[in-house]
Amino acid sequence: MTDKLEQSPKNWTESQVSTWLSSIGVKEQYIEKLYEEEVDGQILLALNEDFLKTKICMKSGPAHLIIQKRDELINSQQKSQEKKKPTGSKQTEVEQKNVKQKSVQCQPTTCESPTTQIPERDQDALEERQKAKEQCVLTSKEDCKPRPFDQEGIDFLYVKHRVLQPESGAFNLTSPCHEFKSFALAATLDRTRLQAKFAKEVLKFATGCMNIRSNGTVHFGVMDSKEDAGYVHGEIVGIPVNEKDVYVDALDYIERSFSTDKEHLRQCVRPPRFIEVMDRDSTEKKYVVEVDIVPSISIVKSKVYAVRLPNFKETTNKVEFEKESILRRVGSKTEPVSDKDQSDFYQRVKDRDAQREEAEKCQFLWAPEICQDLGRKLTMLMTSGKKFMEKDKWFILVTNKFKPDDLCNIDWLLNMNIFCVFDFDPDSKISGLCSRYLQHHAANMHFLQSYKISSDTSIKEFTSNLHLFEQTSWIFCNGRTDFQGNETPCDEMTWIKTKMTLLRESVSLICKQILPKGTFQVLFLLTSTVEKPLLHTFYEFFTDMEGHEDITCICESKINFQKWQSFAEGSCGPETVNNSSVVGMKMSHINATLQQVQPIKASARKHLPVFVKGTCLLETLKEEQMYSLEILTVDHCDETSEDFINEEKESIERQFYRGGRVTWLNFWLAEHKYVGEVIDRDAYHDVSKLLDDALKWNADQTPVNSINIYHHPGSGGSTVARQVLWNNRKDLRCAVVKPSYSVAVVAQHAVELREYEEKDPQRCLPVLLLIEDSDKEYLGDLRNELEVAINVKRIQYGTLCFILLSCRRSHDPERRCKESPLQNVSVTHKLSDQEKRKFAGKRQVLEKKYEPQFILTFVLMSEGFTKKYVEEFVEHLLQGIDHHSAVTRLIHYVALLNTYVQNSFISQSHCEALLALTIHLERFRQHEFERSLSDQAKLVFLHLRDEMTHIESIRIIHPLVAEEILKQLLGNQKTHSSLAMNLLCETVLFEHRFGRDEYLSFLRALFLRRSRISKGDEYDSFFSPLIEHVCENEKSPGKAIELLIEAFQRFHKDPFFAQQLARLHYTYEKFEEAKCWAETAAKQLPNNSYILDTKGQVYRKWFQAKCKAIDNDNVPKTAQNIAHAVETALKALECFQECEKAANADMDNVNSSGFFSEVEVGCSLLKLISSLQVFANRGNGHAECMKYLLTDYIPEEVEEAWQPFHGHLKRLHKTMQDALEWISEDLSYFQTDIGVDEEETPERPEEKISHPLKWLAKKSSEYGKYFSEAYSTALQQHGQSIPANLTPFQKRMIIYYLGGGNITTILSKLTDHKDAVHLLESILSLYPSNPVKAKFVQRDIANYIVAHIILNCLSPQSPKVAPLKDLQALCHQFPTDKRKCLPSSLFLLTLLFWPEDHDTDHEKETKYETVQSAVEHLERDYWTKMKDIPQRKRRLYTHFFLGSGNGLDKFVHKRKFEKITKVFSVSEKRMKWFSGEAWKMPEISRMLKRVSGWTEDGVVYLQGPQKKKFNILPLYVPSVPHSNENITFYLGFTFRGPVACNILVKK
């Protein structure tokens, strides 16, 4: 039978067996009998002749035929399978399964199956698609109607393999009879032969029809049952037509085939029609050629026609004519009238004429069509049977060329959420729908190839790259004429060859991975002639959406619709096509009808407040261009239609009080008294007060102000924040920052919002921006970007431009509030007395209106979420729950995620997959899902809808409830670890395609994300809270390890899971395993410094354990016994050095942990070595040790045992010194102790050093002590003078020990040393007495100079302090090539050579030149150091300020201020410096000297000698005036050069 019944016969249904039986010519009665006996494909394969004869009572002939044809079919199927196999394109199901299993087991590298090169995500889509295709193909021997008979100007189309009704005889003369000819061979012949063959068939049929007065059509390119066994009778296949005129001219044979009445034939035989055949699998054009015969009574009355048929004789090689004969139609055949019947035939001419005449009269008496209610049909289709179109439903539009009049009636389209448009009009952007749409909305122009997704791009990245969900994606499917790139329109066949696959991929991507079923509707708007590509688009959507239910077609012209209809009916049947199409309705009527059912009033206008106290119109287009902000307008929600409000108000209110996030509509309904008001919490008044204070004009106002709301999770913080926005929307420009946009984009949009429709950027309303759940980093970055923008715009200092209202969760909001009462507000679960009264009143009102379970969260809230109440509530809730049902399993999973992962949820389509729901009708999807939930689940699940994608998901109404549910559901028997393991192994969830990125990110967080106080958690954890719970509360680290190993496997051997496993193993001292896991991680990410750091920590902890064991077991410390510990320590050092290399090469992160760890391990190793018997016992033990470590000497006791280590150990003093120097230099740029605002990286370094300055002082001293033990102890004990015969190395080590080894430790003497003056003097006494002559190295010179400066700061009277002149002279020993200078040397040059007032001009000039060249090189070093790290992390540390003294006294160290400002808390202090208040304190202004300069175009200059400009970096950019002004400022000295602080314009 047909090769299109793709599946093997064993999968056929009863009706498919019947189709096959009729195709091989079995009589109808037998077919019906077999159908009644329920013979399907499998039974068909088992039948034998005997059964057919005895049970079905068949005659032997048909029984034999069935068995024979069945066996042929099986053989031909097997052969075709073998043929197809090598291409791998269509395998049988069994093969596909095998391939899939193979690819799962071993991921073969061969190319035998196409699965190997396809990413897993697309593989699923491919397989589903294949399945859908096979089903389509099975049913695709669809019947189809012939082209309407003898009608002009009809755009009709056949689809290959569809089947026309069988050939027929004449039954009412005007309904045409049909004859089919496959013509497959004839179509390939030369012109002469082809024409003779064609003319013969046409004239034979025409004569037969005319003689019996019946209309008829002969079809060429349609299978006749006599012909090819592989096809069904009436199956459309088409023939290639190269030149149409060959067929048209063939009818010239009429002249030679008829002796009389030739013109009658010309009148009755219509010219050939060429109907294109659409074939999805081929790009070759084929046609069915049809000739209509219309023997009108006026022409043929009383005539009988005889014909001589042409025949091409191969023997004579020319056309000959047969003898004349009279032909007639008998049944479905054309036969000659035999001689004996001729007289009878002539006699009955009159009767036939009379019948024809009667039939022609009846033809025009059709009843008028019944008029459909198209308006109702349209609204039902567009609202899915509801009263309104859904606000959150996405529409996908497929359309072709619009008529100009129709473009005036598209308001209904402008109000819809259009996800994307597949536009087949190449001129759309110039004169079509696109140009019109762009006047009102923002859209992004794409082509089909824009939807190609690479295997390493996640769906989330892909959608954000194309800005899907933010702005409509306009896909030009067939070229774009105004585009300069290579995108030209092409004809249908070229399109099929070049664009078809792209179309298929993009439709599949949208339907299978981006938008879940039920969230979107596809709308075909056919406004002009339908071409094939549009039909292909329909077919792709139909197969990918697995049905027609969400596809609607709107078409004004019935003629355009016909081609569409003839195609679509084949896929889904005439009834479905009719039910989902609206045909014959004008665009203006559609426009008016649909606007009535849209939830938003037509062409609603939105307004923003303006500076001069009016409002201005906000155009939708402009609003959409600021897509990272949700802008709150003055008349927000006013556009909502009255009917919609009355319909929905209660469900909106109920959703909020059940625990849903507050929406603007909640406030609007309350404001317009449709529902009761939303309670004002105390925090609302606190925030409002802070906001009012910020808005009062103040000359020191910073342009960007911040107010922070800290709240317990689920305590209503976000409601308070949104309430503040809502109530200020008429006085300020308000917006919510949408998550996941970069700071740069948000800042750009915020500036656009501020200046929108305002004349003068100096005079605009401030913008109030709400930022929810972002970390401090993001806020800092945003603030910084906004300040830079204000600066570029030159807004006058003191103008408030932006207020950042940040809303963040915290476990201790009150503490945050105490820290900085002028900036922070707390919202907690505890209610104040006033709030209790408000809540109690509101609760009474609500309980009259709703059942308590519908306002659950509100009830819990009014109880203040007391532990006891939550416990009782959950206990009551869980009574009688079925512990074994799938829904309870789902509750378990959601509770686990909600307990451990903040803001987590599970998408509804994941839930449906887990509950194995089969949704029959999309429009009842939500209903079916909710029906499948148990009563308990209905109460605790809150349905969320993503504001951007509208994708539905669920979470538990409140985190505290989730925690309690988890506790009570698991009871004492089950553990969190077993539940987490079940969740990991829940393949249905893990592999479900929609919302996969989010789901996997929550799952990752469950195992990897550590708690951070800075993120609002209770404490800082070493592992994820779940893993800590398993280790500590369940006391089973083994389980934790199993969990992580399972996760490592599930997440495709993710290196970060391996890293966690290494940490977990070494925490429990399983070092061998820890080593393996660390190596696994490092193998995959060899350049990740955090993972290399973990690898080092494994060895470090191992080394510590070995040292402990040696001490505890009192092992004699011989070289042999401690060799293994030394080896481990050296391995650790090696890993940390790799980590340092990787960290220096990484341009995006700063990770200094390798250097710190290297020093710590080095110190421990030195301690171990010096305790070795050979070095510890004898009087000269220390000297032996030094000799071993610093020279080539090797004592014999260690020679053999430490054979592999000698080289490493002898380099130890050098590598440690380098690491200490690196840390010192790093800290001299940014002397901050690491704050609490550390950003979160899953691979955060293990051991954070929280006070690096103290640490550095301590370790430097320790390091110096090991290498100078004897002398340093002597120094300590008796304050003896230092022996004169020391080597420079020994002196340097003593200096290290005393704290003078690097700049940073010397500087820190200012703050934390009681004995600092004495120590500094000792340090200086170790340097040569005449340093200028002594010629020592650059680093020593720098340390020496700084020691003098600091000693002078601490004790200006000390006799040891050298005068400034001497120190300047020493600087001449720094390398003249500044590129070879250390940053500390360059820093000292800028400091010491800063010109003084009494210098001569010449002196000033040389000094300025020295400073200038030092600054250039400092700047260069700074940028190398800084890499690509965000601005706000580059807080420069200012070490000294220029004071009013002379000589060394003019350097005032910043620590001097600290004494004055230490009365303030840390954050207040920062605020005071930040806003410039601190500089005004008289104690500070007395110490410092103000310098004069000027600004030009926002750059600060000082006047150098000879009127040279000297550029100075402003420390705080926004304080620079925008106009060109004379200014004064304080001068600071940093490692980036001099900076200007507290800039003031000269009055």
Side-chain angles (χ1 to χ4, degrees), residues 8-147:
S8 69
K10 93 163 184 239
N11 299 337
W12 289 355
T13 60
E14 290 93 323
S15 56
Q16 284 163 338
V17 171
S18 304
T19 311
W20 177 74
L21 290 168
S22 76
S23 77
I24 60 170
V26 177
K27 285 192 177 161
E28 199 57 49
Q29 74 220 45
Y30 294 141
I31 296 178
E32 277 172 21
K33 193 86 170 71
L34 285 163
Y35 188 89
E36 282 160 21
E37 297 291 340
E38 296 184 0
V39 174
D40 62 10
Q42 262 184 314
I43 298 167
L44 175 66
L45 295 183
L47 289 182
N48 56 23
E49 266 185 62
D50 193 35
F51 171 89
L52 292 173
K53 285 189 221 158
T54 53
K55 293 283 185 293
I56 310 291
C57 310
M58 246 184 206
K59 295 279 191 295
S60 303
H64 177 69
L65 172 77
I66 289 176
I67 299 302
Q68 187 194 351
K69 289 284 187 193
R70 178 200 66 194
D71 296 341
E72 279 174 21
L73 174 69
I74 294 169
N75 293 335
S76 73
Q77 282 256 338
Q78 283 167 348
K79 273 191 198 131
S80 70
Q81 287 301 342
E82 279 158 23
K83 255 190 225 145
K84 285 177 190 171
K85 227 180 226 167
T87 65
S89 60
K90 286 187 184 155
Q91 296 122 321
T92 60
E93 281 191 21
V94 184
E95 277 182 287
Q96 281 188 342
K97 280 205 184 97
N98 292 346
V99 169
K100 188 162 188 204
Q101 283 159 1
K102 247 192 276 177
S103 67
V104 170
Q105 287 155 8
C106 57
Q107 289 151 340
T109 47
T110 61
C111 295
E112 63 180 33
S113 88
T115 54
T116 49
Q117 293 105 18
I118 300 173
E120 180 189 5
R121 176 180 63 210
D122 307 348
Q123 184 58 37
D124 300 348
L126 260 178
E127 276 171 24
E128 264 184 47
R129 199 180 171 87
Q130 197 56 37
K131 244 187 240 149
K133 271 242 170 91
E134 278 169 14
Q135 277 161 357
C136 268
V137 161
L138 257 182
T139 51
S140 74
K141 288 268 155 131
E142 294 281 355
D143 291 343
C144 75
K145 294 186 189 140
R147 169 186 55 83

Side-chain angles (χ1 to χ4, degrees), residues 240-335:
V241 175
N242 299 326
E243 299 169 66
K244 293 183 180 174
D245 61 335
V246 173
Y247 291 87
V248 177
D249 297 348
L251 294 188
D252 292 349
Y253 274 103
I254 290 176
E255 268 56 39
R256 296 154 69 189
S257 297
F258 291 89
S259 47
T260 56
D261 302 321
K262 298 169 187 172
E263 68 286 351
H264 288 189
L265 274 111
R266 283 287 188 197
Q267 286 169 302
C268 297
V269 178
R270 302 283 192 248
R273 297 274 171 87
F274 300 89
I275 291 88
E276 198 178 330
V277 175
M278 179 155 171
D279 179 2
R280 292 185 202 110
D281 305 319
S282 152
T283 54
E284 186 192 2
K285 253 197 182 178
K286 288 194 173 178
Y287 295 88
V288 170
V289 181
E290 297 181 343
V291 180
D292 290 340
I293 315 297
V294 191
S296 301
I297 190 67
S298 55
I299 300 168
V300 298
K301 195 165 189 170
S302 69
K303 293 280 184 203
V304 171
Y305 297 95
V307 64
R308 296 175 61 206
L309 294 174
N311 236 337
F312 188 86
K313 269 283 186 340
E314 292 295 338
T315 47
T316 60
N317 203 19
K318 63 175 191 209
V319 176
E320 296 182 359
F321 290 87
E322 297 173 6
K323 74 174 197 343
E324 195 168 64
S325 60
I326 295 170
L327 301 172
R328 64 170 167 188
R329 290 288 289 172
V330 178
S332 60
K333 298 186 175 59
T334 305
E335 294 176 352

Side-chain angles (χ1 to χ4, degrees), residues 893-951:
Y893 294 154
V894 180
L896 181 73
L897 281 175
N898 288 177
T899 300
Y900 285 111
V901 182
Q902 285 298 334
N903 300 334
S904 56
F905 53 78
I906 291 189
S907 81
Q908 188 170 311
S909 78
H910 271 85
C911 300
E912 288 164 6
L914 182 70
L915 304 177
L917 289 187
T918 45
I919 305 288
H920 300 298
L921 276 174
E922 283 309 322
R923 67 188 63 141
F924 302 130
R925 177 175 217 102
Q926 194 58 29
H927 179 67
E928 296 226 2
F929 174 61
E930 286 177 18
R931 220 177 54 197
S932 70
L933 298 177
S934 58
D935 294 347
Q936 292 88 352
K938 279 185 193 143
L939 285 185
V940 297
F941 282 160
L942 186 66
H943 296 265
L944 313 169
R945 203 171 209 158
D946 185 299
E947 284 174 7
M948 197 154 100
T949 61
H950 305 328
I951 291 175

Side-chain angles (χ1 to χ4, degrees), residues 629-632 664 687-688 690-692 694-695 705-707 709 720-737 750 753-754 765-771 786 800-806:
L629 304 178
E630 180 191 351
I631 299 169
L632 195 54
W664 300 125
V687 176
S688 301
L690 290 181
L691 185 60
D692 290 345
L695 293 170
N705 209 318
S706 307
I707 300 174
I709 298 177
V720 169
R722 283 164 182 258
Q723 209 169 2
V724 170
L725 258 68
W726 180 258
N727 291 333
N728 282 285
R729 70 188 192 284
K730 296 183 178 173
D731 307 312
L732 302 173
R733 298 216 165 158
C734 300
V736 182
V737 175
L753 174 61
R754 178 177 178 271
L765 289 176
V767 174
L768 177 59
L769 289 177
L770 170 59
I771 301 119
L786 290 171
L800 177 62
C801 300
F802 297 98
I803 302 153
L804 305 182
L805 178 60
S806 140

Side-chain angles (χ1 to χ4, degrees), residues 576-739:
T576 315
V577 173
N578 179 31
N579 288 344
S580 55
S581 308
V582 176
V583 185
M585 199 168 177
K586 288 174 68 171
M587 192 62 81
S588 54
H589 297 173
I590 293 170
N591 194 24
T593 308
L594 288 180
Q595 285 188 28
Q596 291 169 6
V597 290
Q598 289 183 320
I600 294 171
K601 293 177 197 153
S603 58
R605 299 163 85 81
K606 301 173 179 179
H607 295 84
L608 288 175
V610 292
F611 187 78
V612 293
K613 295 286 179 274
T615 60
C616 67
L617 182 67
L618 172 62
E619 288 172 31
T620 312
L621 175 66
K622 287 284 186 283
E623 183 183 5
E624 284 170 6
Q625 283 166 355
M626 301 183 248
Y627 52 81
S628 65
L629 304 178
E630 180 191 351
I631 299 169
L632 195 54
T633 54
V634 172
D635 34 24
H636 213 76
C637 298
D638 288 1
E639 73 277 9
T640 318
S641 76
E642 185 84 23
D643 300 341
F644 177 79
I645 287 161
N646 294 327
E647 188 71 19
E648 296 290 325
K649 64 183 180 198
E650 296 198 338
S651 72
I652 293 170
E653 179 176 47
R654 200 168 55 215
Q655 171 77 350
F656 171 49
Y657 288 117
R658 249 199 88 197
R661 167 174 261 183
V662 73
T663 64
W664 300 125
L665 217 43
N666 287 114
F667 296 126
W668 188 89
L669 290 170
E671 192 173 282
H672 289 76
K673 304 286 184 273
Y674 284 99
V675 299
E677 87 268 2
V678 179
I679 290 180
D680 299 345
R681 296 285 301 267
D682 294 353
Y684 166 75
H685 299 291
D686 297 344
V687 176
S688 301
K689 182 166 182 333
L690 290 181
L691 185 60
D692 290 345
D693 292 347
L695 293 170
K696 289 182 187 137
W697 198 83
N698 161 8
D700 291 331
Q701 177 65 271
T702 54
V704 183
N705 209 318
S706 307
I707 300 174
N708 304 311
I709 298 177
Y710 287 100
H711 61 95
H712 280 147
S715 63
S718 129
T719 306
V720 169
R722 283 164 182 258
Q723 209 169 2
V724 170
L725 258 68
W726 180 258
N727 291 333
N728 282 285
R729 70 188 192 284
K730 296 183 178 173
D731 307 312
L732 302 173
R733 298 216 165 158
C734 300
V736 182
V737 175
K738 295 181 190 172

